[in-house]
Amino acid sequence: MSSTEDHTYKFNVKMTCGGCSGAVERVLKKLEGVSSYEVSLEKQSAEVHSSTLDYETVLQKIKNTGKAVLSGEADGVGMGV
Amino acid sequence: MSSTEDHTYKFNVKMTCGGCSGAVERVLKKLEGVSSYEVSLEKQSAEVHSSTLDYETVLQKIKNTGKAVLSGEADGVGMGV
């Protein structure tokens, strides 16, 4: 992967209320290098677009929320969590 | 404050469900240097005991959860958040 391409990272995150998903949103909003993101409580998902951040960096930030990350993928490829 | 004394840090954290408080608990559980902690959804509080960590370090870890920290104190003295 080139670091200048836009990457899509998807995570399955265990969230049980709007406070949970709001917390993940706040973290992604503050994360420099994120071009866009979408957090869905209904889908239990966080999707992040970035051309500068690697998968591990985004994964770690989401893990820092204390939420359980059940699975992840980068540009459609399953990754470790 | 000597760094060898046991300090008590208290935070008022906005949490709306057990998933929220569980996330804060997981972060404190993983934080090296915490001797004990208590997170209460009912009281909207997180109390942390440590003899090695300073207030700012614990505050930052809790902020990394994406939860709003409304106030904080160290050994009974109000601190910035």
Side-chain angles (χ1 to χ4, degrees), chain A residues 14 16-24 26-27 30 60-61 63-68, chain B residues 14 16-24 26-27 30 60-61 63-68:
Chain A
K14 194 175 169 188
T16 47
C17 77
C20 295
S21 56
V24 176
R26 267 190 294 278
V27 166
K30 278 176 57 183
Q60 194 53 55
K61 280 287 174 185
K63 282 187 154 183
N64 283 350
T65 66
K67 299 293 169 200
Chain B
K14 195 176 169 190
T16 48
C17 76
C20 295
S21 55
V24 177
R26 265 189 296 279
V27 165
K30 277 175 58 182
Q60 194 54 55
K61 280 289 174 183
K63 282 188 152 182
N64 283 349
T65 66
K67 300 292 170 200

Side-chain angles (χ1 to χ4, degrees), chain A residues 10-79:
Chain A
K10 291 182 186 173
F11 303 91
N12 176 208
V13 185
K14 194 175 169 188
M15 300 175 285
T16 47
C17 77
C20 295
S21 56
V24 176
E25 280 178 349
R26 267 190 294 278
V27 166
L28 294 175
K29 188 177 183 177
K30 278 176 57 183
L31 182 57
E32 214 167 312
V34 169
S35 47
S36 67
Y37 62 88
E38 189 181 350
V39 177
S40 169
L41 175 59
E42 191 191 356
K43 294 182 198 164
Q44 297 281 291
S45 66
E47 183 170 322
V48 178
H49 296 266
S50 176
S51 58
T52 55
L53 297 170
D54 63 15
Y55 172 83
E56 290 297 333
T57 301
V58 180
L59 172 65
Q60 194 53 55
K61 280 287 174 185
I62 294 177
K63 282 187 154 183
N64 283 350
T65 66
K67 299 293 169 200
V69 180
L70 304 176
S71 66
E73 61 179 66
D75 300 326
V77 179
M79 304 283 279

Side-chain angles (χ1 to χ4, degrees), chain B residues 2-7 33 35 49-53:
Chain B
S2 160
S3 64
T4 53
E5 286 171 38
D6 188 51
H7 297 295
S35 48
H49 295 266
S50 176
S51 57
T52 54
L53 297 169

